[in-house]
Amino acid sequence: MTVHEKPYIVFGYGSLIFKPPPHVIKQVPGYLKGYVRRFAQKSHDHRGTPEKPGRVVTLVHKEDWDGFSGSDPFPDEDVVWGVAYTINPLYESEVRDYLDYREKDGYTIEEIDVWGVEDGREAVVAPKAFTYVGLPNNPSFIGSEPIDQLAEHIWKSVGPSGPNKDYLYELTTAVRRLAPESHDSHLYALETRCRKLDAERGEQ
């Protein structure tokens, strides 16, 4: 098994935050600049089915999102909080294969810098990390949907990994816990709407 000199670091911004990859030897909360996190990706294999796909998050470059999102209710947010995981080099190949399979529904790999705060100053805490992104040209990308319609869809969808709303709730809770300043208005607004549906219609 080949061991590379450069550490293999993966940035998780979705389910990887609350369900980390195996063989992690270090994890650091941090954020990306110039991206937004949106429920803009169909999920045929985890939080929905091929016939009734759910919705999961992807990263979108801020300038790309501005171009096709129309009336995005959170236009000023361009920082995405998540976790940078350093993988044990002995298991790099195994973890790459695991993540490639787990993120197979339309995701591709991008190399990014993860930012954070060190000694009271903003700094890159994980340079040249890898992350999985559902680019706008992938077949599972659905783009921007009205937030009330999106919340309704998430609330109703279920897949092999469980209810779509549970994915939303776990992710929102995990993001809140990352750091005192971590936030995501898109996630919080969807959570509020889905909790309201729970109260009005009963949890399913």
Side-chain angles (χ1 to χ4, degrees):
M1 187 176 294
T2 303
V3 177
H4 300 281
E5 291 184 8
K6 180 184 170 222
Y8 175 43
I9 303 174
V10 179
F11 181 76
Y13 61 89
S15 63
L16 283 176
I17 301 180
F18 59 84
K19 188 182 177 185
H23 305 299
V24 172
I25 57 174
K26 179 183 177 183
Q27 62 182 69
V28 179
Y31 51 89
L32 306 185
K33 293 183 176 184
Y35 288 86
V36 294
R37 169 176 34 214
R38 294 291 184 267
F39 272 83
Q41 185 83 350
K42 295 179 184 177
S43 177
H44 302 90
D45 56 347
H46 285 299
R47 298 295 175 168
T49 64
E51 297 77 23
K52 294 181 178 180
R55 299 288 186 268
V56 288
V57 293
T58 185
L59 294 177
V60 186
H61 290 277
K62 184 67 166 59
E63 61 270 23
D64 292 338
W65 187 253
D66 289 344
F68 53 66
S69 65
S71 58
D72 182 24
F74 315 107
D76 299 325
E77 211 161 280
D78 60 352
V79 169
V80 177
W81 279 88
V83 181
Y85 297 104
T86 302
I87 305 301
N88 185 327
L90 293 174
Y91 298 97
E92 176 178 335
S93 178
E94 176 186 327
V95 174
R96 284 181 184 272
D97 289 345
Y98 164 80
L99 291 174
D100 284 348
Y101 180 79
R102 178 168 162 178
E103 309 294 343
K104 68 182 185 296
D105 193 7
Y107 288 87
T108 54
I109 298 172
E110 286 195 5
E111 192 173 65
I112 41 85
D113 289 333
V114 182
W115 292 77
V117 177
E118 288 187 340
D119 300 324
R121 299 176 60 185
E122 186 179 57
V124 174
V125 296
K128 298 188 181 304
F130 296 99
T131 195
Y132 286 78
V133 180
L135 297 172
N137 61 358
N138 89 84
S140 293
F141 188 82
I142 195 166
S144 180
E145 298 176 277
I147 194 161
D148 289 324
Q149 175 184 318
L150 178 56
E152 176 86 20
H153 191 97
I154 291 171
W155 191 81
K156 293 190 300 188
S157 297
V158 180
S161 295
N164 202 168
K165 66 178 183 178
D166 287 356
Y167 169 97
L168 167 64
Y169 295 160
E170 290 187 80
L171 178 55
T172 304
T173 298
V175 168
R176 284 195 178 100
R177 291 175 176 170
L178 288 175
E181 61 272 31
S182 59
H183 69 281
D184 190 306
S185 299
H186 178 67
L187 294 183
Y188 299 168
L190 285 170
E191 179 195 36
T192 297
R193 284 162 171 78
C194 285
R195 296 287 189 192
K196 184 179 179 183
L197 289 172
D198 285 341
E200 291 174 351
R201 306 180 193 177
E203 297 193 31
Q204 295 183 350

